[in-house]
């Protein structure tokens, strides 16, 4: 009965999705496209913006030309640079107070998924000033319009510049949860590959595998559409063709450009088709031990795909063909297994571990419970996992 309830809920959500006010961000793309952002902000009639970022981005100097551009356009700005990986409720509340104190009219998220999620959280609080972040946990709790959000991703992975999701950590309870609402989709996004060329290799690899996880989970789930399937296929193809090249030769602009596009397409795919059990476990792992989200997904993805077994052979076979990792004469099972092996091989080539060593046995029951609570009934996964399944997987991942 429980699984029937989950499937019924998912069918209702899939039908509801057709009536939601979806939007796609307006894009500035290509080398030096960041130069056009100050003019775009001015064109939107915005005189003061809050820039949400982190201290690492500030230290790189990536923003200096952008800040000069804002000054040249006469746009005032305040900067919140205290965002941490897996941004917290406290981050959002601090940034919100700075937004209000500076009389801002828009938000610029500059960085990886964490600053973008933090900025989305600020937008949600501005749209719903009488609701706390925990009160907006889940689906469609924002609804109302938030201020213009300009997303400037400096990694190629999270796809946050395209999605309706805002992932937040509660540092008090070690819980990591998502707000999901079409109001949170950024209004504008800048895909400038020059912002990613100096990324450390381990960030390039893990964020790239994050994008692959988004594309795969969107594709194998039961709420995909013709459009999301195509976005996923295109993303998978781009990732297998470009991720290792971007990892090996960071200055390869073509590879960096293609990885940014892949991350964006994967974000577009999963914001309509959802993610799945990989993310449910990854969010729990990050919440308990602050494991970076991309690393968690990279480690967990092949374990979950193996666990799904034959329920994913057909869609994974199609992805194997897109990735070019199988022979046309292979059976669907053979193609699927080759695709999973290709993920494992890519992880190994980029020095991503097979397991994580931070999991404490006594934490596993609560971790499994929280993973189930996130996944069910919402995620339209190919195989619904129960607490005992999650427990077994978490132990395997931590082996």
């Amino acid at each position: 009965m429980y699984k029937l309830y989950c499937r019924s809920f998912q069918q209702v959500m899939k039908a509801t999705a057709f009536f939601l006010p979806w939007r796609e961000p307006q894009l500035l793309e290509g080398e030096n496209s960041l130069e056009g952002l100050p003019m775009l902000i001015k064109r939107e009639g915005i005189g003061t913006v809050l820039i949400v970022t982190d201290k690492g981005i500030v230290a790189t100097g990536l923003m200096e030309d952008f800040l000069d551009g804002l000054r040249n356009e006469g746009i005032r700005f305040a900067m919140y640079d205290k965002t941490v990986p897996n941004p917290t409720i406290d981050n959002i509340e601090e940034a919100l107070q700075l937004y209000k104190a500076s009389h801002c009219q828009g938000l610029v998220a500059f960085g990886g998924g964490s600053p973008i999620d933090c900025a989305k959280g600020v937008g949600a609080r501005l749209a719903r000033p009488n609701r706390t972040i925990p009160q907006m946990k889940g689906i469609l709790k924002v609804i109302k319009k938030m201020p213009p959000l300009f997303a400037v991703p400096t990694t190629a992975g999270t796809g946050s510049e395209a999605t309706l999701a805002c992932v937040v950590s509660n540092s008090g309870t070690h819980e990591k949860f998502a707000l999901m609402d079409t109001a949170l989709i950024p209004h504008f996004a800048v895909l400038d590959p020059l912002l990613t060329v100096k990324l450390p290799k381990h960030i390039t690899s893990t964020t790239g595998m994050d994008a692959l996880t988004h594309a795969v989970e969107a594709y194998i789930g039961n709420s995909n559409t013709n459009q999301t399937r195509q976005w996923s296929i295109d993303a998978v193809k781009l990732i297998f063709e470009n991720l290792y090249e971007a990892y090996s030769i960071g200055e390869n602009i073509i590879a960096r450009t293609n990885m940014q596009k892949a991350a964006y397409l994967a974000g577009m795919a999963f914001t309509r088709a959802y993610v799945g059990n990989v993310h449910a476990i990854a969010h729990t792992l990050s919440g308990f031990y602050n494991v970076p989200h991309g690393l968690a997904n990279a480690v967990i993805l092949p374990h979950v795909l193996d666990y799904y077994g034959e329920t994913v052979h057909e869609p994974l076979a199609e992805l194997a063909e897109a990735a070019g990792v199988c022979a046309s004469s292979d059976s669907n099972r053979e193609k699927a297994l080759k695709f999973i092996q290709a993920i494992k091989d890519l992880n190994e080539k980029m020095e991503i571990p097979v397991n994580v060593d931070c999991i404490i046995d006594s934490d596993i029951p609560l971790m499994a419970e929280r993973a189930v609570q996130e996944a069910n009934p919402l995620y339209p996964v190919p195989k619904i996992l129960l607490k005992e399944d999650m427990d077994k997987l978490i132990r395997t991942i931590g082996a």
Side-chain angles (χ1 to χ4, degrees):
M1 285 299 293
Y2 175 71
K3 291 185 178 180
L4 178 61
Y5 159 68
C6 291
R7 292 305 188 198
S8 299
F9 183 93
Q10 291 157 19
Q11 285 297 318
V12 170
M13 290 304 301
K14 184 175 182 178
T16 302
F18 287 99
F19 302 98
L20 294 178
W22 298 100
R23 66 166 175 266
E24 295 183 22
Q26 180 179 322
L27 295 181
L28 297 178
E29 296 182 86
E31 292 180 61
N32 296 306
S33 54
L34 180 60
E35 292 177 359
L37 183 55
M39 290 180 286
L40 176 59
I41 294 171
K42 186 174 183 178
R43 192 186 73 196
E44 293 298 305
I46 296 170
T48 307
V49 294
L50 175 67
I51 301 169
V52 180
T53 187
D54 59 53
K55 292 189 182 299
I57 292 294
V58 174
T60 64
L62 283 176
M63 280 197 295
E64 290 307 313
D65 289 344
F66 169 60
L67 298 181
D68 286 342
L70 290 177
R71 294 183 187 104
N72 291 339
E73 294 293 339
I75 298 169
R76 298 178 298 278
F77 61 86
M79 187 181 302
Y80 180 78
D81 64 359
K82 299 178 183 178
T83 310
V84 297
N86 305 310
T88 64
I89 297 170
D90 289 341
N91 283 151
I92 291 169
E93 293 302 319
E94 289 173 359
L96 174 66
Q97 293 309 312
L98 182 56
Y99 183 101
K100 291 178 177 178
S102 304
H103 306 288
C104 296
Q105 300 158 295
L107 293 152
V108 175
F110 202 113
S114 294
I116 298 175
D117 280 351
C118 184
K120 288 180 179 180
V122 174
R125 288 282 284 115
L126 290 165
R128 289 286 190 178
N130 296 322
R131 291 186 181 179
T132 66
I133 289 295
Q135 286 173 336
M136 291 184 279
K137 171 184 174 181
I139 311 164
L140 302 177
K141 302 286 181 63
V142 183
I143 302 295
K144 291 189 176 182
K145 184 178 178 180
M146 69 176 192
L149 172 57
F150 305 83
V152 186
T154 58
T155 63
T158 69
S160 296
E161 68 276 6
T163 74
L164 52 58
C166 165
V167 182
V168 183
S169 293
N170 185 328
S171 51
T173 63
H174 302 297
E175 182 185 12
K176 189 172 180 181
F177 58 87
L179 285 61
M180 289 173 282
D181 197 296
T182 53
L184 300 178
I185 300 172
H187 302 85
F188 305 90
V190 178
L191 303 183
D192 189 333
L194 296 179
L195 297 175
T196 69
V197 295
K198 293 184 179 179
L199 279 176
K201 295 181 78 169
H202 74 280
I203 301 295
T204 297
S205 61
T206 55
T207 55
M209 294 305 291
D210 188 18
L212 180 63
T213 304
H214 295 153
V216 171
E217 290 211 290
Y219 194 84
I220 66 177
N222 296 327
S223 288
N224 52 35
T225 66
N226 290 336
Q227 181 66 80
T228 65
R229 281 191 288 270
Q230 191 60 55
W231 283 330
S232 291
I233 286 174
D234 290 345
V236 167
K237 188 172 187 295
L238 285 169
I239 291 165
F240 272 91
E241 289 175 350
N242 294 279
L243 176 53
Y244 188 69
E245 182 70 15
Y247 170 82
S248 304
I249 307 172
E251 295 76 20
N252 186 324
I253 292 296
I254 294 175
R256 292 294 191 180
T257 299
N258 287 335
M259 280 306 300
Q260 274 199 324
K261 192 67 175 180
Y264 177 78
L265 291 171
M268 291 289 290
F270 91 78
T271 207
R272 285 293 301 266
Y274 299 95
V275 285
N277 288 310
V278 177
H279 273 74
I281 299 171
H283 287 156
T284 303
L285 196 61
S286 297
F288 270 77
Y289 309 112
N290 213 30
V291 177
H293 178 66
L295 174 60
N297 274 342
V299 172
I300 296 165
L301 177 60
H303 289 286
V304 171
L305 295 181
D306 275 331
Y307 197 84
Y308 281 152
E310 63 182 15
T311 61
V312 293
H313 283 173
E314 183 175 346
L316 290 189
E318 294 163 357
L319 293 181
E321 292 172 1
V325 298
C326 64
S328 57
S329 58
D330 290 337
S331 67
N332 278 352
R333 179 180 180 277
E334 290 170 331
K335 290 176 181 177
L337 293 179
K338 284 184 177 180
F339 184 72
I340 297 172
Q341 187 60 49
I343 294 172
K344 294 176 181 178
D345 292 344
L346 189 53
N347 275 343
E348 184 178 4
K349 284 166 59 178
M350 297 188 297
E351 301 183 354
I352 294 173
V354 176
N355 304 97
V356 294
D357 59 5
C358 57
I359 297 175
I360 299 169
D361 281 352
S362 59
D363 289 338
I364 293 176
L366 181 56
M367 292 174 69
E369 183 179 331
R370 285 186 176 172
V372 168
Q373 287 173 350
E374 175 177 336
N376 303 333
L378 177 62
Y379 293 160
V381 291
K383 183 178 182 179
I384 292 173
L385 302 186
L386 305 178
K387 185 177 178 180
E388 52 266 33
D389 299 302
M390 293 294 193
D391 189 293
K392 188 182 301 183
L393 271 166
I394 292 169
R395 292 182 189 278
T396 302
I397 290 158

